[in-house]
């Protein structure tokens, strides 16, 4: 299902990533269902490309983004 970190994991260094950047890593952004965030860091997810639309900011890991109502966007 992808929740609870059950899918293939891919790491990203600190930076800004557009949809095309994620797709170039062979990831469909719609299939990101969980996220691990290291202590002291924050990850921001947007439901539209180029940092637009609704934002989800995480400063802790999220084992299931479906619970955050942000999966598949």
């Amino acid at each position: 299902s992808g929740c609870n970190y059950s899918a293939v994991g891919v790491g990203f260094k600190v930076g800004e990533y557009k949809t095309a950047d994620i797709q170039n890593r062979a990831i469909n952004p719609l299939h990101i269902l969980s996220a691990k965030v290291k202590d002291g860091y924050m990850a921001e997810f947007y439901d539209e490309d180029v940092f637009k639309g609704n934002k989800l900011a995480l400063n802790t890991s999220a084992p299931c983004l479906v619970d955050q109502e942000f999966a598949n966007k």
Side-chain angles (χ1 to χ4, degrees):
S1 72
C3 282
N4 295 312
Y5 319 109
S6 63
V8 173
V10 176
F12 289 89
K13 293 182 179 184
V14 173
E16 296 181 347
Y17 298 91
K18 299 176 187 167
T19 299
D21 300 324
I22 296 168
Q23 290 169 330
N24 286 338
R25 302 274 306 266
I27 301 169
N28 180 338
L30 297 178
H31 294 165
I32 298 173
L33 298 178
S34 56
K36 288 187 178 181
V37 180
K38 289 185 177 184
D39 290 341
Y41 288 86
M42 180 176 13
E44 295 180 342
F45 298 86
Y46 294 85
D47 63 0
E48 295 181 28
D49 197 13
V50 194
F51 316 106
K52 294 183 180 173
N54 295 314
K55 177 175 78 171
L56 172 65
L58 299 174
N59 60 6
T60 187
S61 295
C64 193
L65 293 174
V66 173
D67 298 340
Q68 306 275 345
E69 297 183 12
F70 209 81
N72 300 318
K73 291 188 175 187

